[in-house]
């Protein structure tokens, strides 16, 4: 036992200092002058100081009992470049399409008898194409619905075409754009369950339902080019365009089939 009780401080000096367990079989800490300070858990190095910071091997956990900040990255560089920067990197010898790069989980508890940890939201990333010079990636925002994580928004390359996909897994997940002000709840609405689109309505009753005025205009390239086209497939006779006012049909345009 080494003790110090005076007004001064206990000082250990050495160019290389090793602290081991009583039996001398496990290293607890290792210090080298002008180099790293290394710390061990069960004889395995888990933390090491380095030029400009520290290196942690394994899981890093920051716990506090209040709602304050657990992780705070600060940059004091006053130039116009990006900073601070947080990088999640999967470092492997060979990258392949489909490799998951990393994910950020937003977890909480449920109300089970013994509360369980549930991931309620997730940011997910994946390699789509690792080919040098033509790399493609995927980024996905997921939320839990009905007890399972479902993709709401996906950004990726689809056979050479960049896409932003809503509801890429084809779940019963509507897409809604709200307008400004109270009562304007559905400026644009996609009803996933019924495969319908509504403009200014949250309950579209047809494949395309516009509640309000619609304007169709365009400059024709020739006098025979129509401004508005209704093209119905099939050979069944019947109205293909019906004009109503106040629920009353004022005019019908019919197809004779064939």
């Amino acid at each position: 036992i080494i003790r110090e009780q005076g007004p001064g401080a206990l000082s250990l000096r050495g160019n290389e200092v090793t602290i081991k367990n009583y039996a001398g079989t496990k290293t607890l800490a290792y210090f080298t002058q002008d180099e790293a300070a290394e710390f061990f858990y069960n004889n395995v190095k888990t933390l090491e100081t380095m030029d400009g910071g520290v290196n942690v091997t394994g899981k890093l956990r920051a716990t506090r009992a209040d709602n304050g900040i657990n992780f705070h990255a600060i940059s004091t560089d006053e130039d116009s470049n990006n900073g601070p920067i947080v990088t999640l990197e999967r470092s492997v010898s060979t990258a392949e399409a489909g490799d998951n790069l990393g994910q950020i989980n937003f977890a909480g508890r449920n109300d089970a008898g013994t509360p369980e940890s549930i991931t309620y939201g997730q940011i997910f990333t994946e390699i789509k194409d690792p080919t040098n010079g033509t790399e493609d990636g995927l980024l996905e925002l997921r939320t839990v619905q009905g007890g399972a994580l479902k993709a709401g928004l996906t950004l990726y390359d689809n056979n050479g075409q960049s896409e932003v996909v809503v509801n890429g897994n084809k779940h019963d997940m509507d897409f809604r754009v709200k307008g400004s002000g109270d009562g304007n709840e559905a400026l644009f609405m996609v009803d996933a369950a019924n495969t319908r689109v509504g403009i200014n309505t949250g309950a579209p009753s047809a494949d395309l339902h516009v509640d309000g005025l619609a304007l169709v205009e365009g400059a024709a390239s020739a006098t025979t080019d129509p401004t508005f086209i209704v093209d119905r497939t099939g050979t069944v006779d019947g109205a293909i365009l019906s004009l109503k006012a106040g629920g009353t049909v004022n005019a019908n345009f019919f197809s004779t089939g064939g």
Side-chain angles (χ1 to χ4, degrees), residues 133-206:
T134 61
E135 297 90 341
D136 294 316
L138 174 147
L139 186 146
E140 200 163 72
L141 301 181
R142 302 171 175 175
T143 57
V144 68
Q145 299 178 38
L149 280 170
K150 298 179 181 180
L153 185 69
T154 306
L155 291 78
Y156 77 117
D157 180 272
N158 183 12
N159 296 321
Q161 176 61 52
S162 297
E163 290 187 352
V164 178
V165 179
V166 177
N167 192 21
N169 297 130
K170 302 179 183 179
H171 299 294
D172 185 4
M173 182 187 301
D174 294 344
F175 176 74
R176 183 192 302 264
V177 177
K178 295 185 177 183
S180 62
D182 296 335
N184 200 344
E185 296 297 311
L187 188 64
F188 183 83
M189 172 74 177
V190 176
D191 183 344
N194 297 303
T195 61
R196 293 172 177 172
V197 175
I199 297 177
N200 209 32
T201 175
S205 58

Side-chain angles (χ1 to χ4, degrees), residues 45-57:
K45 183 169 63 175
T46 57
L47 188 146
E48 175 183 13
T49 62
M50 54 187 296
D51 183 19
V54 297
N55 184 41
V56 177
T57 301

Side-chain angles (χ1 to χ4, degrees), residues 28-49:
L28 306 180
Y30 179 72
F31 307 90
T32 306
Q33 179 180 327
D34 298 330
E35 295 185 17
E38 304 173 7
F39 299 88
F40 297 75
Y41 177 83
N42 197 22
N43 214 37
V44 177
K45 183 169 63 175
T46 57
L47 188 146
E48 175 183 13
T49 62

Side-chain angles (χ1 to χ4, degrees), residues 59-198:
K59 180 167 61 177
L60 177 63
R61 174 180 294 176
T63 304
R64 60 184 300 164
D66 58 19
N67 294 320
I69 298 173
N70 282 58
F71 175 76
H72 191 178
I74 300 174
S75 172
T76 58
D77 195 333
E78 296 184 5
D79 63 21
S80 60
N81 295 324
N82 294 332
I85 298 173
V86 177
T87 300
L88 306 180
E89 180 179 357
R90 181 171 183 174
S91 181
V92 296
S93 58
T94 303
E96 296 182 358
D99 283 354
N100 296 341
L101 294 177
Q103 62 191 41
I104 300 176
N105 296 330
F106 300 87
R109 302 287 177 169
N110 63 9
D111 65 353
T114 301
E116 303 165 310
S117 179
I118 302 296
T119 297
Y120 285 93
Q122 184 181 89
I123 301 175
F124 172 84
T125 57
E126 178 184 284
I127 295 176
K128 295 295 289 183
D129 180 6
T131 304
N132 184 26
T134 61
E135 297 90 341
D136 294 316
L138 174 147
L139 186 146
E140 200 163 72
L141 301 181
R142 302 171 175 175
T143 57
V144 68
Q145 299 178 38
L149 280 170
K150 298 179 181 180
L153 185 69
T154 306
L155 291 78
Y156 77 117
D157 180 272
N158 183 12
N159 296 321
Q161 176 61 52
S162 297
E163 290 187 352
V164 178
V165 179
V166 177
N167 192 21
N169 297 130
K170 302 179 183 179
H171 299 294
D172 185 4
M173 182 187 301
D174 294 344
F175 176 74
R176 183 192 302 264
V177 177
K178 295 185 177 183
S180 62
D182 296 335
N184 200 344
E185 296 297 311
L187 188 64
F188 183 83
M189 172 74 177
V190 176
D191 183 344
N194 297 303
T195 61
R196 293 172 177 172
V197 175

